[in-house]
Amino acid sequence: MSAPQDRRDLRGSWGTAEIAAPWPDKARLAVSFVVNVEEGAELSIGDGDEGNESMYEIREEVMKGADLCMESHFAYGPRRGYDRIVSAFKAYGVRATFSTCGRAARRLPWLMQDAVSVGHEISCHGWRWERHAGMTPEAEARIIADTHSTITEVSGQAPVGWHTRSAPSELTRQLLLDHGGFLYDSDCYDDDQPRIERISGKDHVILPYAFDTNDMRFSPGGGFVQPEDFSRYVAGAFDRLYEEGGHGARMLSVGLHLRLIGRPGRISGLEALLAHMSARPGVWFASRAEIARCWKDVAS
C-alpha cells in the first residue's frame, strides 16, 4: 500500500547531490542581513487599532487605552537605532534588506529614501506588524496591494520580496503571485539554502529566514543579554555555514531590528560580527533580492 502524498516536505534535499554554491566571484557563503522596520506599524489603540502591541523589552499587562510608553519604546528605532545600524553596514560595505511594514514606510519616508540612496533593498513586511493566518483572502490581498504600492511610492523602489510576521495564511504565497511583481518570499524557516517552487505556472524563489540568528533573542527569555551573546552565536552559525559552503550552496540570514540591536549597549555586537565575517575571503554580503535573482538564474 503506497503512502499518501504528504502536504509537508520534511526531506528537502537530503540524500541528493549538493548544489554547488552559485554565488558571484566563487564566494563560499551568501550572507543576508535583514533589518525589520516595524516602528509605527505595531498595533496601537492610539492609531485606531483593536489593541496594543505587547512584545518588547519587558512583559507588562496590555493596556486598554492608548499606550504612550510602548509607542515611545518603538520610536527609539528610527530616532537613534537606524543611524547606528547603517553606519556599521557602511563601514564594512554591506548591502542589507530593510523588511518594512507599509504603515511604517508611510510614517518614515526619510528612512526609506536614505536606505535606498546608500544601496539597500526595501522589501514588504505586511501593512501592520501582524500575522496573516486567519485572514480572509480578500483582506489579505488588499494588504499585499497596499503595502506594495505604498513602499513603491515612498521609497521610489518597487519591492520584490515579502515576509509575514511569523504566520502567513495558507494562501499568502498564491496571493503574492496573483498580485505580481514579487520575486521571492521569506515565509519559511526550514533550510539554509534557497529553493524555487513552481506556483500557478510561475517560478517563485523561497529564501529561508531564521529566528535563532536574530536580535529578537534580546527580548525577555530569548537568551541574549550582552552584545557578545549575539555576536558569538551568529559568528558560530557563520563559521559552520562557511565551512559547509565549500561543498554546497549555503546562505545565512541575520535578523535585526532598529529598536533592538540599535541600542547603545548592543550595537557593538553587530560591529564585532561584521568584523568577524569580513575577515574571511569568499563571503558575499547581499540583499535578498540579489540572492533570489542569482538563485533563479542558476535554477533556470
Side-chain angles (χ1 to χ4, degrees):
M1 181 177 178
S2 61
Q5 181 67 36
D6 196 334
R7 66 179 180 82
R8 298 173 61 193
D9 178 10
L10 300 180
R11 180 167 183 152
S13 61
W14 184 88
T16 63
E18 284 273 20
I19 299 173
W23 316 130
D25 301 321
K26 299 181 179 180
R28 292 172 65 108
L29 180 62
V31 175
S32 166
F33 281 95
V34 178
V35 183
N36 296 277
V37 183
E38 299 148 351
E39 289 78 3
E42 78 280 6
L43 295 185
S44 170
I45 288 177
D47 284 334
D49 296 329
E50 66 274 16
N52 289 315
E53 181 53 52
S54 61
M55 290 183 60
Y56 194 58
E57 301 276 2
I58 57 176
R59 301 188 188 280
E60 287 189 339
E61 182 179 351
V62 178
M63 290 183 59
K64 297 180 180 179
D67 191 341
L68 302 183
C69 177
M70 182 65 75
E71 290 181 0
S72 182
H73 280 301
F74 271 77
Y76 187 88
R79 291 170 66 98
R80 290 296 176 188
Y82 172 77
D83 186 60
R84 293 187 181 117
I85 293 169
V86 294
S87 295
F89 287 155
K90 182 179 180 180
Y92 291 93
V94 169
R95 290 184 304 281
T97 295
F98 282 70
S99 183
T100 305
C101 296
R103 193 165 78 180
R106 177 64 69 197
R107 284 179 148 152
L108 301 170
W110 60 269
L111 190 153
M112 297 289 96
Q113 293 157 17
D114 184 76
V116 169
S117 74
V118 292
H120 299 302
E121 173 197 7
I122 310 297
S123 65
C124 296
H125 194 29
W127 179 256
R128 301 189 307 185
W129 188 43
E130 62 183 341
R131 296 168 176 83
H132 280 210
M135 286 185 179
T136 66
E138 295 77 16
E140 188 173 15
R142 284 196 301 272
I143 285 172
I144 290 171
D146 290 347
T147 303
H148 190 277
S149 64
T150 296
I151 289 177
T152 301
E153 175 191 345
V154 170
S155 72
Q157 179 187 97
V160 298
W162 179 274
H163 182 216
T164 311
R165 176 184 177 178
S166 297
S169 77
E170 294 182 358
L171 290 177
T172 300
R173 194 161 285 159
Q174 181 63 59
L175 291 171
L176 294 175
L177 270 292
D178 292 344
H179 176 275
F182 286 98
L183 169 65
Y184 74 88
D185 75 67
S186 299
D187 284 342
C188 74
Y189 307 84
D190 57 9
D191 213 325
D192 301 306
Q193 178 178 285
R195 63 179 178 272
I196 289 183
E197 290 191 6
R198 190 77 174 168
I199 304 171
S200 300
K202 300 178 182 178
D203 286 341
H204 184 68
V205 183
I206 312 298
L207 296 183
Y209 191 53
F211 279 180
D212 65 321
T213 50
N214 196 307
D215 70 357
M216 64 189 288
R217 294 185 60 204
F218 280 113
S219 299
F224 292 167
V225 177
Q226 300 299 328
E228 294 81 9
D229 298 334
F230 169 81
S231 58
R232 288 179 61 190
Y233 183 90
V234 182
F238 168 85
D239 290 345
R240 180 57 186 247
L241 292 178
Y242 185 88
E243 177 185 343
E244 293 181 6
H247 57 79
R250 297 291 186 273
M251 68 172 286
L252 171 65
S253 295
V254 183
L256 305 174
H257 299 75
L258 301 178
R259 63 191 180 276
L260 295 178
I261 201 70
R263 285 281 174 175
R266 296 171 180 157
I267 192 65
S268 64
L270 175 59
E271 294 165 342
L273 177 65
L274 289 166
H276 178 84
M277 292 176 166
S278 298
R280 294 284 190 94
V283 178
W284 184 38
F285 295 103
S287 71
R288 293 179 91 74
E290 290 174 309
I291 294 171
R293 291 189 182 103
C294 179
W295 194 264
K296 189 172 183 180
D297 287 344
V298 170
S300 58

